[in-house]
Amino acid sequence: MDIKQQLFADKSSDKTDSASIEKGTIRGIERVTDEERLSNTTHVWNACTFWLSANMAVATLSTGMVGGSMGLSFWDCFAIIPVVNIASCLLPAWTASFGLTGLRMTTFSRYSFGYWGNLLVVIFSMASTTGWNAINSISGASVLTALFDGKCPQWAGVLIICTAVWIICVLGISWIHRLDAFLWISPFVVWCVAAGTRAKHFHGNAVKSPTGPNGAAAALSFLAVVFSFAVSWINCAADYNVKMPANTPRYKIFWATYAGIFVPTILVQTLGAALYSGVQANAAWKHACLAYGVGGPLKMASEPAGGFGKFFMVLAALSSIPNNIPNNYSFAMHAQNFGPWALRIPRVILVTFGFAAAVIVGCCAARFFPEATLQTFLSIIGYWTVVHTVVVTGEHFIFRRGRWRLYDLDAWSKQDLLPFGWGAIGAFCFGFLGAALGMKITWYTGPVAELVGKKGANLGHELTFAFSALTFPLFRWLEKKYTGK
């Protein structure tokens, strides 16, 4: 860091202290050194409670309802949800331990994607966090709309949720961990009440799942949705562990993160599948679902609790706040990886920019665009997450032989010591070729996807993985051979 940048950092730090905003997070993406992590540290249990709060959310409930909307019975959804999550939650749990390097995930990706190739990570991560921010806010807003019988429009709910998220993110990582230690409790109570008061309306066999190729197509498409939900945390899981002591055992972070993502995701997605079985069997529930989305059947489930039911609806809507904290906070971390010029922009300004982007996208989507449009967009982003995982994993286990000492962690900002990224760029291109062949979205079905069933099946993730995993080792080997990096 040159003298000019140091003066700027010191100035910003002083201003931050006077505003009672956490001093440590004004620094942005600079590596947190081993010495700096000896004080004001993050605890291992924070890795669990942070993700408990992020996933004990109404968006998780909405994800579980998708299988029923695809024509699958509750029991088929119940079989898919745990099996897929057992495997998919391993990925963000593993990348969460990367925080022990002192680097955020997008910055750490420079060692595999290269200094310039990493711009792909930056752009797609920012798009992903903005899109998920909007989707999650709309889920919470639909609950408020249902509670007030349409008198609270969805755009207003989006604005309320995003503003609350912005305030917490401005306070910084220490405050985020303090609040997330408790924010998972209230939605957990809500889901227990919803399950207990309306269990008699849930019907495991309300509909029969399609059989043969059509059944396989529906199951594969729901599998892709469930997989995408869990792995979406990969691009930011490490960001919240950079202040843990360097000698923290990696397995502790892994299992704490795994439990924090896996447990609420399994429970709430299963409740969502059960809730949709009530929609399939009950005309009043179906009408409420068509009118208000996820908020409709949730309102029907909460009605027997009377006034408490309305209070629980508010808590359910507010569960979107901790759900969106990782998206808004990490948006700023992603943005600062554009280059040295982006490092000069205070984190608070970038968090505010991410807030504005989420509000605009969320409000416009709630008002003008069908939910399928954003779901399509996020499916495409989901394919990117697969490429990201393949490249980082391939670099770590093939080219660095799984040894952390082979990373020069002080070279994170030095262009001359990092690869350009040709290997990752090549794998990215071939990965998206696989996605184009296997994807099934609202306006396009790939030639391979349409081979399964009448409507096609989403095979985009599988083909993205195959194409990128086969090509990255070759392209990276060629890059190292001809550039030496």
Side-chain angles (χ1 to χ4, degrees):
M1 185 182 284
D2 59 29
I3 296 173
K4 233 180 184 181
Q5 288 176 313
Q6 184 64 50
L7 286 172
F8 179 83
D10 293 341
K11 237 180 181 181
S12 299
S13 187
D14 292 340
K15 289 178 183 176
T16 302
D17 284 341
S18 63
S20 297
I21 300 172
E22 182 189 5
K23 182 180 177 181
T25 54
I26 198 72
R27 63 184 291 146
I29 61 170
E30 288 92 342
R31 180 172 177 256
V32 183
T33 65
D34 296 353
E35 294 74 26
E36 290 172 320
R37 284 181 271 173
L38 295 176
S39 60
N40 194 25
T41 60
T42 302
H43 304 287
V44 171
W45 58 266
N46 288 132
C48 182
T49 56
F50 178 83
W51 294 110
L52 273 175
S53 295
N55 291 282
M56 197 74 72
V58 68
T60 315
L61 188 81
S62 181
T63 302
M65 295 173 65
V66 172
S69 68
M70 292 177 172
L72 296 173
S73 70
F74 166 77
W75 292 113
D76 284 335
C77 294
F78 181 69
I80 290 170
I81 289 170
V83 171
V84 175
N85 279 303
I86 284 171
S88 59
C89 292
L90 294 171
L91 299 174
W94 178 58
T95 59
S97 68
F98 291 12
L100 288 179
T101 62
L103 295 169
R104 279 76 178 177
M105 188 61 199
T106 311
T107 309
F108 180 82
S109 296
R110 286 178 174 178
Y111 292 92
S112 49
F113 275 83
Y115 189 86
W116 295 107
N118 198 54
L119 291 178
L120 290 171
V121 179
V122 175
I123 293 168
F124 276 84
S125 295
M126 289 174 68
S128 176
T129 52
T130 301
W132 276 113
N133 211 340
I135 284 285
N136 297 341
S137 298
I138 290 172
S139 294
S142 71
V143 177
L144 293 176
T145 302
L147 174 62
F148 295 105
D149 297 319
K151 294 175 183 175
C152 176
Q154 281 199 346
W155 64 264
V158 169
L159 187 59
I160 291 169
I161 291 167
C162 287
T163 301
V165 171
W166 174 77
I167 291 171
I168 295 173
C169 289
V170 164
L171 293 175
I173 190 66
S174 292
W175 273 101
I176 288 173
H177 279 306
R178 285 180 194 136
L179 292 170
D180 275 336
F182 306 100
L183 288 178
W184 62 273
I185 298 173
S186 57
F188 175 71
V189 173
V190 171
W191 307 140
C192 290
V193 170
T197 58
R198 284 306 202 186
K200 64 181 180 180
H201 289 275
F202 302 157
H203 298 274
N205 297 307
V207 296
K208 288 186 177 180
S209 297
T211 57
N214 292 332
L220 286 168
S221 295
F222 183 50
L223 183 152
V225 170
V226 175
F227 175 82
S228 295
F229 185 87
V231 300
S232 65
W233 300 123
I234 285 173
N235 66 7
C236 65
D239 298 7
Y240 304 93
N241 301 324
V242 294
K243 294 177 69 179
M244 285 191 186
N247 61 354
T248 305
R250 291 183 182 276
Y251 75 89
K252 289 187 177 181
I253 296 178
F254 174 88
W255 287 115
T257 305
Y258 187 82
I261 298 176
F262 177 77
V263 172
T265 301
I266 287 282
L267 294 177
V268 183
Q269 285 183 356
T270 301
L271 176 61
L275 204 62
Y276 200 83
S277 72
V279 173
Q280 293 168 322
N282 189 305
W285 283 45
K286 186 173 184 178
H287 176 76
C289 186
L290 291 172
Y292 301 117
V294 64
L298 190 58
K299 181 182 181 181
M300 302 299 290
S302 303
E303 275 186 345
F308 280 111
K310 293 181 179 179
F311 175 65
F312 290 150
M313 286 280 286
V314 173
L315 294 180
L318 296 182
S319 70
S320 294
I321 295 172
N323 187 213
N324 270 342
I325 286 173
N327 294 317
N328 200 174
Y329 183 86
S330 288
F331 179 94
M333 301 295 104
H334 301 325
Q336 286 196 325
N337 281 276
F338 269 118
W341 61 270
L343 275 170
R344 299 186 179 95
I345 304 174
R347 179 189 60 83
V348 173
I349 293 178
L350 293 173
V351 165
T352 304
F353 184 79
F355 155 75
V359 168
I360 293 170
V361 174
C363 289
C364 289
R367 179 68 180 87
F368 300 110
F369 302 109
E371 190 173 335
T373 302
L374 272 184
Q375 293 287 5
T376 295
F377 168 74
L378 292 175
S379 292
I380 296 172
I381 294 296
Y383 304 137
W384 150 251
T385 304
V386 174
V387 178
H388 190 186
T389 307
V390 165
V391 171
V392 171
T393 304
E395 177 72 23
H396 184 69
F397 287 108
I398 298 175
F399 296 98
R400 300 185 191 262
R401 302 190 296 280
R403 299 175 184 174
W404 293 100
R405 61 182 175 79
L406 296 182
Y407 293 91
D408 179 3
L409 297 178
D410 293 322
W412 66 270
S413 61
K414 299 172 183 175
Q415 183 181 337
D416 56 326
L417 297 179
L418 294 169
F420 183 93
W422 292 115
I425 293 171
F428 171 86
C429 294
F430 274 86
F432 266 78
L433 173 61
L437 293 173
M439 72 170 63
K440 180 186 180 298
I441 52 180
T442 306
W443 44 266
Y444 173 77
T445 300
V448 176
E450 65 185 10
L451 297 176
V452 184
K454 290 182 179 178
K455 297 181 180 179
N458 191 344
L459 298 171
H461 294 91
E462 293 86 345
L463 291 180
T464 300
F465 171 79
F467 278 55
S468 57
L470 288 172
T471 55
F472 175 69
L474 173 62
F475 291 143
R476 184 72 180 100
W477 177 79
L478 290 171
E479 181 178 24
K480 285 178 72 71
K481 180 179 179 180
Y482 289 105
T483 67
K485 293 187 287 184

